[in-house]
Structure formats: C-alpha cells, structure tokens
Amino acid sequence: LIVNANEMAVSISNEIAVVHKFVRDHYSKKFPELESLVLNPLDYARAVKRIQNETDLTTIELSDVLPASNVITISMTASHTSGKPLPKEEMEQVVDACDVALDLEESRRQILQFVETRMQFFAPNLTAIVGSEIAAKLIGTAGGLVALSKVPASNILVFGKKPKHMSGFSSISTHRHVGYVIDCDLVMKYPPELRLRACRLVASKVSLAARVDSFDGDKSGKQGQILRSQMEKTLEKWQEPPPPKQEKPLPAPDDRPKKRRGGRKYRAMKERYAMTELRKRQNRMQFGKVGDEDDNNFRDLGLIGQSGSGRIRLRADDGKGFKTYTKRQRKEFKEMTTSGLATSIYAMTPVQGLELVNPEAQKKKLQEANKNYFSNVGFGNLKDNKV
C-alpha cells in the first residue's frame, strides 16, 4: 500500500507539470514575462488565477501567494508588458486548469500525509534521522523506498529543490543545491554557516538508512538512532573553537665545544681563502677623506693608493698559501737559472744602479776572454809522441 501511494504521488506530480505547461502556453499571450518571474508551477497557477486579465496589479493582493520580492518585480513588469488581454472563453479555460493543478496538489498532499503516518513502520531508520514528513517526501520523490536506496547521496541532497528567482535581490542568505533535507530539525538547529555542510552529512546518512530499510535490516530503528547520534557528535565538534596555539619553549643551549677540523690541509685551506692585505686596505677608510672609486666597477678603493699609506701599489697577495722551498731546493733552482740581464739592454751596477748597455759588446767581450783562456789548452796530437 505504501509503495502504491508513493507511485500515485509521483504520477500526480507529472500531471501537475502537464497542466502547468498548458496554463503557461495560453497565459503567455497576456503576460509573457510572468513565466520567468515565477518558476514554481503551483505559485504560477495561483498568480494567474489571481491576476487573470487585470492590467493594474497594484489593486491585486499577491503577498499571500508570492514572496514580497517577487510581488514588487511583477508589479513593475506588468506596467509595461507587451501582452494583450485574453478572450473570455480562453481565460476561463486557463482558470479551470489552474484549479485542476491546485486540486491535484491537494490530493498529493493527502497521500503524503497518509504515508507519513505509516513511515514509522515502513522506514523506521530513515524516520529516526529526518522525521516522518521529510522521509515521506524523499520516498515519494524517488518513487519508492527501493528506488531511494539506489540514489547516491549527492542526488538525495537536491530532492525537492525549488528554483529561486531573487529578481535582483541579494541571495547571500539563501542555500543553493539543497531540497527537503535542509528542513530537517537536525540541520535547522545549527548556525547558518554550518547548514550546508550539515545537509551533505545528513544526505549521506539518509542514503545508508534507506538501504537498511529497503532490505529490512533493522525494524526497530536502532541503526537510524546510532547514525543520528554520530551526526550530532560530528556537528557539535564542528562548532568547537580551534585549540589555542601552544607556545613551544626554546631548545636547551648546547654549550659543549664543537669539533673543529685541524691539520695541515685545514690550515692550508684557511690560508687559501684568507682575506688578503689588499682587501683589508680596501675595507678601511681614512677619517675625513673621500676614497677613490674604480672607474670600471664603481667600487670604493678605501685606503688603496691613499697618501700617507707608504705604498703606491700593494700586492694582491701577501704570500699566504704559497709553497715554501728548502735551502737545498733554492740552491738548485739558482744554479739552473741564468740571469735575465745577460741578454737585456739593462744592467745593474753597484755604483750607478740601472744603466743601458750594449748586448753585442758584452757578447764580444765574453768571446775574447774565452779565446785567451782556451788558446793553450786542448787535446794535442798523440801520434807524433809515440815511441
């Protein structure tokens, strides 16, 4: 009997949609803009029955039929509509169709009331979660309890969704993509900012409860009560304030001496990367004097080349990091090398210092000295001295 009642409620809803199409097609000649302003079929039928062929809507009371925001928009739109009044016979047919649609809705409501009285025995777990009224609406929309158990939770969330036309008014306080589930007492007792999340949670549990009831898993409704208590705990936890941020103490200082690498390689590395004397001079400056700048890189030269420093040019390296040689090695290098002044036009004298010399004259003088020394020295012919 419950299944037949649900099927009858679904068929009545389909008939209401057919009647709404008939009324919309005929009344669009009189007020074509009303179709886009009132989207609910039953509200459209009530508005058409109240307006009929009137042109001045300020004399018609629509506040008990439509929301106040829609009433203002309809009154302003009707003042400059492009429609024309309908003939008397056609208007009577439209009004009769509106009465049929409203009668069908009344019959559907009575059927759902009967289903609500039997919901505690037909779907006890589903009723324990959302109540008998919303459970009957969900079952009637899906076309039966078995059909509802096959619907995913994301679709159960939008069962009974009504299109809302705000007509330019703010929609910040309205919830989109929700239907019958938002009217559940479990959702309405929580703050508005949590209701959309609560609707998703309830829809998921409704899907589970419908599957339990469709297979006669628990006739006592205990499973539905367990699911409801779980949702209440979850919703209460969502309302708890976040835990305060804990101040973590600083770690204990490590005063133990750290291990430092030593040895010849480490000392050589430090000498290789140590700051040179030239860099130290560049980082210093004299009091009350402006330092020179490098023309290419625009860098301050500091004390490099400053008067009073005692030097015109400093070495870029002070000898750190160079390999030191033993006394024997230095002696061997000195014997292997020749003086560069031997072939140069400059010569160093102990009296006059640096002077110009003729390399050819030096070479000729060396040859004459060698000639005099080696003239009487050599190997003789031993052939004549043989005995």
Side-chain angles (χ1 to χ4, degrees):
L1 181 61
I2 299 297
V3 176
N4 294 334
N6 288 327
E7 293 178 355
M8 188 177 296
V10 173
S11 62
I12 289 175
S13 299
N14 296 334
E15 291 295 329
I16 291 174
V18 173
V19 175
H20 170 66
K21 185 177 183 304
F22 172 81
V23 174
R24 185 186 59 192
D25 293 342
H26 286 75
Y27 197 73
S28 60
K29 302 175 185 178
K30 164 65 176 60
F31 198 173
E33 294 85 2
L34 185 63
E35 177 186 351
S36 60
L37 298 176
V38 182
L39 302 178
N40 190 6
L42 298 175
D43 291 343
Y44 186 84
R46 294 189 186 100
V48 170
K49 187 177 179 180
R50 192 71 62 88
I51 297 172
Q52 295 188 9
N53 273 334
E54 292 291 336
T55 56
D56 187 10
L57 299 187
T58 57
T59 60
I60 300 175
E61 182 64 27
L62 295 174
S63 59
D64 58 337
V65 178
L66 299 174
S69 59
N70 284 17
V71 172
I72 298 174
T73 309
I74 291 171
S75 300
M76 296 177 61
T77 308
S79 61
H80 56 273
T81 183
S82 59
K84 297 180 181 180
L86 295 177
K88 185 177 180 180
E89 296 80 5
E90 188 174 0
M91 192 68 230
E92 290 178 355
Q93 293 179 359
V94 171
V95 172
D96 292 340
C98 293
D99 293 335
V100 171
L102 296 176
D103 293 340
L104 289 173
E105 176 61 21
E106 182 64 22
S107 301
R108 178 176 174 274
R109 188 181 63 83
Q110 293 177 0
I111 292 173
L112 291 178
Q113 286 180 352
F114 168 74
V115 173
E116 290 176 13
T117 59
R118 307 296 298 173
M119 285 305 299
Q120 190 64 36
F121 306 99
F122 182 62
N125 298 286
L126 183 60
T127 305
I129 294 177
V130 295
S132 59
E133 181 181 357
I134 297 177
K137 291 179 180 179
L138 292 174
I139 293 175
T141 305
L145 185 59
V146 177
L148 181 63
S149 64
K150 298 178 181 178
V151 178
S154 58
N155 292 356
I156 294 177
L157 181 65
V158 297
F159 273 5
K161 173 187 172 184
K162 296 180 181 179
K164 296 180 181 180
H165 188 78
M166 301 306 295
S167 303
F169 292 89
S170 176
S171 60
I172 192 171
S173 61
T174 60
H175 295 281
R176 298 180 180 180
H177 310 296
V178 290
Y180 298 132
V181 179
I182 199 171
D183 297 329
C184 175
D185 60 336
L186 189 60
V187 176
M188 296 303 295
K189 68 180 182 180
Y190 289 101
E193 59 270 12
L194 291 178
R195 287 178 185 173
L196 186 58
R197 295 178 64 186
C199 287
R200 296 193 184 109
L201 180 62
V202 171
S204 63
K205 302 302 180 183
V206 164
S207 178
L208 296 177
R211 294 167 189 172
V212 173
D213 291 332
S214 63
F215 292 100
D216 297 333
D218 185 9
K219 287 295 185 180
S220 63
K222 184 177 180 180
Q223 190 65 32
Q225 294 175 1
I226 293 174
L227 293 175
R228 185 182 176 93
S229 63
Q230 291 177 357
M231 288 189 291
E232 289 176 349
K233 291 180 181 179
T234 303
L235 292 170
E236 290 293 337
K237 190 171 182 61
W238 287 350
Q239 296 185 91
E240 293 179 359
K245 187 177 181 181
Q246 297 180 356
E247 295 183 1
K248 296 183 179 180
L250 295 176
D254 188 8
D255 296 335
R256 293 178 299 176
K258 297 181 180 180
K259 295 182 179 180
R260 299 182 180 275
R261 179 178 175 85
R264 180 171 53 84
K265 290 184 179 180
Y266 184 72
R267 290 194 298 271
M269 187 269 293
K270 287 186 64 177
E271 292 177 358
R272 193 180 307 116
Y273 292 104
M275 184 177 291
T276 61
E277 186 67 25
L278 187 67
R279 179 65 67 183
K280 292 179 182 178
R281 301 282 297 180
Q282 184 182 5
N283 293 338
R284 296 172 184 168
M285 62 182 299
Q286 286 184 343
F287 179 75
K289 291 186 179 181
V290 180
D292 298 334
E293 290 186 355
D294 190 0
D295 296 336
N296 297 327
N297 300 323
F298 301 99
R299 292 184 299 182
D300 190 6
L301 298 180
L303 291 180
I304 298 177
Q306 290 286 342
S307 62
S309 62
R311 296 180 183 180
I312 298 177
R313 181 181 299 169
L314 297 177
R315 284 171 35 178
D317 201 326
D318 55 356
K320 293 181 179 180
F322 285 95
K323 183 178 180 180
T324 58
Y325 299 99
T326 60
K327 187 182 295 184
R328 181 181 177 183
Q329 291 174 339
R330 289 197 299 269
K331 184 178 180 181
E332 292 177 356
F333 290 153
K334 189 174 181 180
E335 293 175 356
M336 292 171 59
T337 57
T338 58
S339 176
L341 299 175
T343 58
S344 176
I345 62 174
Y346 299 99
M348 295 294 295
T349 60
V351 180
Q352 297 181 357
L354 187 66
E355 65 177 4
L356 295 174
V357 296
N358 188 0
E360 297 295 334
Q362 287 287 94
K363 188 176 180 181
K364 186 176 180 181
K365 186 177 180 180
L366 182 62
Q367 289 178 357
E368 290 177 358
N370 293 336
K371 183 178 179 182
N372 294 334
Y373 179 77
F374 290 105
S375 59
N376 298 326
V377 180
F379 293 98
N381 194 354
L382 301 179
K383 234 172 158 186
D384 300 335
N385 298 330
K386 283 185 181 180
V387 180

